[in-house]
Amino acid sequence: MHETPTRTQLPATPGQTVGPFFGYALPYEGGEQLVPLGHPQAVRLHGDVVDGHGAPVPDALLEIWQADGNGEVPSAPGSLRRDGWTFTGFGRAAVDHAGHYTFTTVDPGPTEPGRAPFIALTLFGRGVTNRLFTRVYLPEDAEALAQDPLLASLPQERRRTLIAQREADGSLRFDLRLQGEGETVFLTYPRHEQ
C-alpha cells in the first residue's frame, strides 16, 4: 500500500527571488558610464555591497538615476544609449566578485533651490524578493542636508547611511549594507509593494 505524505513531511519550497541572472541578462556595454571617463566633470561613484555579516554580495546589480550638474533631470529617450556625449541620467552596473561597484557620472545639482542633491539608487540581488530603493546624497551642503525632508524624517544615526563620503581624489564612496548594524536606509514609494 502506498502512503500519501502529510504536509509536515514535504520539503519546503524555496521562495522566488530576483535573480541571480544579472551577469548575462541585464548589464550592457558602458552601462556604468553615465559620462565618458575623460569628461571634465566626471566623478567616480563606487562602493561595496555587503550582507548583514559584512560579507561581500558578489552578484548584485545596481541602477542609478540622477539629475545632471545643473539639477536638470534628463528626459530624452534612449537611456541605454552610450554615444560618448549624451548624459541620460541612467546607469546600470553589476558588482564584481568582491561585491564592489563603480559608476562614472557627474555630481548632480539640486533639482530645486535649497534642496540637497542626490542620486536615486536601486539594488537587485539574490535573496532580495523586491528591488531595494535608496538615495545617495552628496556630503558637501550641510545646510541642505539638514533641511532635506527625507533625511529629517530619520533618526540622526540612520541619516549617515544615505550620505556618500567624498574621497581625496574627488570620488564618492557609498557602501550598501543589506541588513544588520549600520543597515542602509531603504525606501518604499507609493504604489510599490514590498
Side-chain angles (χ1 to χ4, degrees):
M1 179 179 205
H2 180 30
E3 254 183 67
T4 304
T6 64
R7 180 178 283 234
T8 57
Q9 293 174 324
L10 296 175
T13 303
Q16 295 294 320
T17 63
V18 183
F21 52 80
F22 312 121
Y24 64 88
L26 291 175
Y28 59 96
E29 187 176 341
E32 74 287 351
Q33 293 182 9
L34 284 72
V35 295
L37 295 172
H39 188 280
Q41 283 86 40
V43 65
R44 183 172 161 241
L45 169 65
H46 69 107
D48 294 322
V49 180
V50 298
D51 66 16
H53 300 289
V57 175
D59 57 2
L61 182 92
L62 290 87
E63 292 181 349
I64 61 173
W65 292 89
Q66 69 171 85
D68 65 16
N70 298 320
E72 298 293 324
V73 178
S75 60
S79 62
L80 299 182
R81 181 183 62 200
R82 297 294 190 247
D83 59 16
W85 63 86
T86 304
F87 178 79
T88 63
F90 173 78
R92 181 182 290 153
V95 298
D96 63 18
H97 294 296
H100 193 77
Y101 72 90
T102 299
F103 288 98
T104 304
T105 187
V106 298
D107 284 339
T111 55
E112 296 177 37
R115 290 289 187 157
F118 68 88
I119 298 168
L121 186 145
T122 304
L123 180 139
F124 301 86
R126 177 179 24 152
V128 178
T129 55
N130 264 319
R131 62 190 183 254
L132 300 173
F133 301 100
T134 193
R135 286 183 176 183
V136 181
Y137 284 92
L138 301 187
E140 285 81 16
D141 191 342
E143 185 178 336
L145 290 170
Q147 295 176 6
D148 183 80
L150 174 64
L151 291 175
S153 73
L154 299 171
Q156 184 70 34
E157 67 277 3
R158 301 286 289 134
R159 294 176 195 170
R160 66 176 178 75
T161 70
L162 297 181
I163 302 172
Q165 298 172 350
R166 184 73 68 180
E167 298 190 318
D169 65 359
S171 66
L172 291 166
R173 179 160 188 106
F174 186 77
D175 294 328
L176 291 126
R177 187 173 187 105
L178 300 185
Q179 58 186 188
E181 187 176 339
E183 176 182 346
T184 302
V185 171
F186 294 105
L187 311 172
T188 301
Y189 290 101
R191 294 182 281 169
H192 178 262
E193 295 297 321
Q194 286 288 1

